[in-house]
Amino acid sequence: MIKLVRTDSNHKDFIKLVDALNSYLKIIDGNEHEFYSQYNNIDVLKHVVVAYKNSIPVGCGAFKSYDIKTVEVKRMFTKTEERGVGIASKILLELEKWAGELSYKTCVLETGKRQIEAVSFYKKMGYSVIPNYGQYKNIDNSLCF
């Protein structure tokens, strides 16, 4: 059974999961990793969800305000060995629900084109590709939803 916990970026299990995410992305993003890292500081994240399976942290996600009616989904991650069983879907749905409770209407996000699993996941979850926004406007590897 998956248990979801709403918390913030100071949560120790979130920090550990983000460390694992960063290690994974360093391999995928290669030389571009430092560019993306500057936009992924977790200290600005006040809305975090951590997923637990049998009391073990297995996934996470977060959002931050993008504008008055939009949040940006950040730091979505599921441990490799736990993928494919719906954990990420539960996390994303919880983030969307929480954002709605706070009167936000829309979610946006960015992922890398080389992150094939993530691109497929967001499309499966009903997200549509949009023009790259903000700091991702002229970044060829970025794909925004």
Side-chain angles (χ1 to χ4, degrees):
M1 183 169 149
I2 302 300
K3 177 184 175 188
L4 300 177
V5 174
R6 290 181 180 185
T7 186
D8 62 29
S9 62
N10 295 314
H11 196 280
K12 65 179 175 61
D13 291 333
F14 177 66
I15 293 168
K16 288 178 188 175
L17 288 163
V18 168
D19 286 345
L21 169 61
N22 287 335
S23 295
Y24 171 77
L25 291 177
K26 193 169 191 177
I27 295 166
I28 301 291
D29 292 336
N31 293 338
E32 296 173 334
H33 183 70
E34 285 187 34
F35 168 79
Y36 291 108
S37 290
Q38 68 183 319
Y39 300 112
N40 289 317
N41 294 328
I42 63 171
D43 58 337
V44 300
L45 300 174
K46 307 296 182 223
H47 303 92
V48 169
V49 171
V50 177
Y52 292 88
K53 179 179 175 184
N54 301 323
S55 301
I56 298 169
V58 294
C60 64
F63 68 81
K64 68 178 185 176
S65 180
Y66 182 74
D67 65 30
I68 194 166
K69 63 179 182 174
T70 307
V71 296
E72 182 179 23
V73 175
K74 305 292 289 179
R75 313 317 289 160
M76 285 290 299
F77 178 70
T78 303
K79 287 183 174 179
T80 307
E81 64 274 15
E82 300 294 341
R83 293 181 183 169
V85 295
I87 294 168
S89 299
K90 288 179 183 355
I91 293 167
L92 185 57
L93 290 170
E94 185 68 13
L95 290 170
E96 292 171 344
K97 179 181 173 187
W98 195 1
E101 290 169 7
L102 297 171
S103 299
Y104 290 100
K105 305 293 182 206
T106 308
C107 297
V108 296
L109 62 93
E110 180 276 341
T111 193
K113 289 179 182 176
R114 291 185 291 257
Q115 295 175 39
I116 306 299
E117 294 166 312
V119 171
S120 176
F121 168 71
Y122 293 123
K123 288 180 178 178
K124 179 185 92 172
M125 294 299 292
Y127 282 71
S128 301
V129 175
I130 60 172
N132 286 8
Y133 59 86
Q135 64 268 25
Y136 308 112
K137 275 188 181 171
N138 297 312
I139 306 301
D140 289 337
N141 182 49
S142 287
L143 192 59
C144 293
F145 290 85

